[in-house]
Amino acid sequence: MRYAVRACILRNNFDGYIEQLIDACKKYDIDEVMMCEDNIFISAISQPLEAHKEMAELMKGAVAKCKAAGLKCTFYLKSMIGHFTCKTYVLPYTKFVGFNGEESVNECCLMDDGFAQYAATLMSYYARCGFEKMMLDDDVRSVNHCNGQHGCVCDLHLAATEKEYGKPLTRQALIDAFSRFDAESMKIKAAHRKVNFAGQLRFVHAIEQAVHAVDPEVQLGQMISGVEADQFQGRDV
């Protein structure tokens, strides 16, 4: 059995930390390090691109040291969307709206092209580090991290669902459809699922193109959201 250690690469005491990490891998016969980024905020929320750029420079040094010690290096991004509500820094993109009608403070909608470009840009920074594999946290999904709400029913999703459905649609009608099983509600749910998954694919394709423009050999993947959440999104897992 092989093991990989997941390590948050800290800005403070970087050199000493990396040496300790390498020593621990040798001691416990671990041959792979899965690195994630430190966060400049106390909460694991989205960060400015400049923070990711600085973190990627540190990661590049960490990868070089680990590879010199014979370790494989993988990256996973944990704060693209974030896991908490915090008003310290809020990205200027369309926010996730759950089935309760509440708009998230920090978490952005994957159908916003500006947010897709933000994600693609920051992943391209880390693609320069020399990782063999790069993983997204379970951010490409239809479930909000903070309150567990399914969605999204923001203005972007509402307009796209209405177009696919072919009839005028209000946000409340879209929300109501998900708890009903009549013919029209099933059509609305099918339309939402189709445009939602298509939006997720556009999002990850933007990341894939940006990453492979830097390093065509790196493998990309993502953490699953759990069977229930993935089935809700139309994924076969």
Side-chain angles (χ1 to χ4, degrees), residues 196-213:
N196 190 42
F197 193 40
Q200 292 177 1
L201 287 178
R202 287 196 302 273
F203 188 87
V204 295
H205 284 162
I207 292 174
E208 184 272 328
Q209 290 172 2
V211 167
H212 285 154

Side-chain angles (χ1 to χ4, degrees), residues 213-234:
V214 176
D215 183 354
E217 300 302 319
V218 68
Q219 293 180 304
L220 286 170
Q222 96 159 44
M223 173 183 171
I224 67 169
S225 305
V227 174
E228 178 184 357
D230 281 313
Q231 287 179 339
F232 172 83
Q233 294 166 106

Side-chain angles (χ1 to χ4, degrees), residues 41 170 224:
F41 306 115
T170 65
I224 67 169

Side-chain angles (χ1 to χ4, degrees), residues 32-35 72-76 131 133-135:
E32 182 176 352
V33 177
M34 179 177 282
M35 303 179 187
K72 298 177 181 179
C73 295
T74 299
F75 172 71
Y76 95 97
F131 293 108
K133 298 186 291 288
M134 296 179 67
M135 307 288 290

Side-chain angles (χ1 to χ4, degrees), residues 18-229:
I18 298 302
E19 294 303 322
Q20 292 174 13
L21 183 61
I22 292 172
D23 289 344
C25 288
K26 291 179 179 178
K27 181 177 180 180
Y28 295 105
D29 196 26
I30 295 171
D31 63 2
E32 182 176 352
V33 177
M34 179 177 282
M35 303 179 187
C36 66
E37 79 281 14
D38 190 12
N39 199 297
I40 61 172
F41 306 115
I42 295 176
S43 297
I45 61 172
S46 300
Q47 304 186 77
L49 283 175
E50 190 59 34
H52 282 290
K53 193 172 185 178
E54 293 173 1
M55 191 74 240
E57 286 300 312
L58 279 180
M59 289 269 190
K60 190 182 297 183
V63 169
K65 288 177 179 289
C66 287
K67 282 188 172 182
L71 297 171
K72 298 177 181 179
C73 295
T74 299
F75 172 71
Y76 95 97
L77 178 69
K78 70 175 182 179
S79 62
M80 178 178 70
I81 288 181
H83 295 71
F84 300 97
T85 295
C86 179
K87 296 182 180 180
T88 302
Y89 179 74
V90 178
L91 291 171
Y93 308 118
T94 305
K95 299 300 183 293
F96 179 100
V97 179
F99 287 167
N100 60 359
E102 294 181 4
E103 182 179 275
S104 172
V105 173
N106 295 101
E107 297 162 358
C108 300
C109 174
L110 302 181
M111 290 187 71
D112 190 311
D113 291 338
F115 183 51
Q117 185 57 48
Y118 162 87
T121 299
L122 71 88
M123 285 291 281
S124 73
Y125 295 157
Y126 294 110
R128 299 183 177 95
C129 297
F131 293 108
E132 294 183 18
K133 298 186 291 288
M134 296 179 67
M135 307 288 290
L136 298 173
D137 198 6
D138 58 337
D139 290 329
V140 184
R141 62 180 188 164
S142 304
V143 187
N144 179 280
H145 274 305
C146 292
N147 57 21
Q149 282 288 321
H150 285 77
C152 176
V153 292
C154 69
D155 289 345
L156 295 175
H157 272 85
L158 178 60
T161 304
E162 183 179 69
K163 183 177 179 180
E164 178 67 27
Y165 176 54
K167 299 178 183 179
L169 194 62
T170 65
R171 178 173 286 105
Q172 190 58 51
L174 176 57
I175 293 172
D176 291 343
F178 280 90
S179 60
R180 297 173 180 172
F181 298 94
D182 57 276
E184 285 304 305
S185 294
M186 296 299 287
K187 290 178 182 178
I188 293 171
K189 285 189 280 191
H192 180 272
R193 188 172 68 176
K194 182 177 179 179
V195 301
N196 190 42
F197 193 40
Q200 292 177 1
L201 287 178
R202 287 196 302 273
F203 188 87
V204 295
H205 284 162
I207 292 174
E208 184 272 328
Q209 290 172 2
V211 167
H212 285 154
V214 176
D215 183 354
E217 300 302 319
V218 68
Q219 293 180 304
L220 286 170
Q222 96 159 44
M223 173 183 171
I224 67 169
S225 305
V227 174
E228 178 184 357

